[in-house]
Amino acid sequence: MVPYSKDFPVSWEELHRNARALSWRLLEQGPWKGIIAITRGGLVPAAILCREMDIRLIDTICVVSYKEGEAGQGAMAQGDLNVLKGVEGDGEGFILVDDLVDTGRTAAKVREMLPKAHFATIYAKPAGKPLVDTFITEVSQDTWIRFPWDMEYTFSTPLADRHEK
Ligand SMILES: O=P(O)(O)OC[C@H]1O[C@H](OP(=O)(O)OP(=O)(O)O)[C@H](O)[C@@H]1O
Ligand SMILES: Nc1nc2[nH]cnc2c(=O)[nH]1
Ligand SMILES: [Mg+2]
């Protein structure tokens, strides 16, 4: 398992801006028949893409992958990939969207299911990058991305108080 040593919190505003940037890139490569979101992380990017790109046909591939625990502090260790719901066909003309690729395991599985779909993510780490057709931002393999839906506003201890005296 990759040790995550960096934390990368993403705000709603930043996520929205990046999803709009992804929409621009995908519009240039269309036309598209529809969007297939990989649950659950792909649902929010899919909602922004379909609004920006005027796409009304939205489907889902429902997968369960990570198990909470081992890595601590909300970071997760990887378990088996379980497909709860697939999609008919080979994905031709469809955008397959997820929030990120990390190891590329989820991407490899869904690409196998829909080999002709165009796989798009907002974030990509080096190990998963070769499996993505279009992405916006690359982060290092030891970075754990924190999405806005996984966070809440809370008190922040002043840096001086965290510093050992
Ligand atoms: O490249 P990988 O190593 O496979 O990791 C990437 C996947 O991990 C996250 O989903 P997660 O399994 O945490 O579930 P969720 O989307 O339901 O929150 C993320 O949304 C991707 O789908
Ligand atoms: N939120 C989140 N989920 C992940 N799943 C695999 N890698 C990541 C990550 O960096 N952040
Ligand atoms: Mg996911």
Side-chain angles (χ1 to χ4, degrees), residues 44-84:
V44 175
I48 299 166
L49 292 190
C50 69
R51 189 268 178 181
E52 297 301 336
M53 301 174 72
D54 195 25
I55 290 173
R56 309 289 168 140
L57 183 57
I58 326 291
D59 205 342
T60 53
I61 286 189
C62 303
V63 293
V64 185
S65 167
Y66 283 81
K67 279 184 282 178
E68 187 121 28
E70 292 160 48
Q73 293 194 333
M76 297 178 191
Q78 205 161 23
D80 292 335
L81 198 83
N82 184 11
V83 179
L84 303 179

Side-chain angles (χ1 to χ4, degrees), residues 38-42 63 98-100 106:
I38 302 164
T39 69
R40 297 162 302 179
V63 293
D98 208 347
D99 49 2
L100 68 96
T106 307

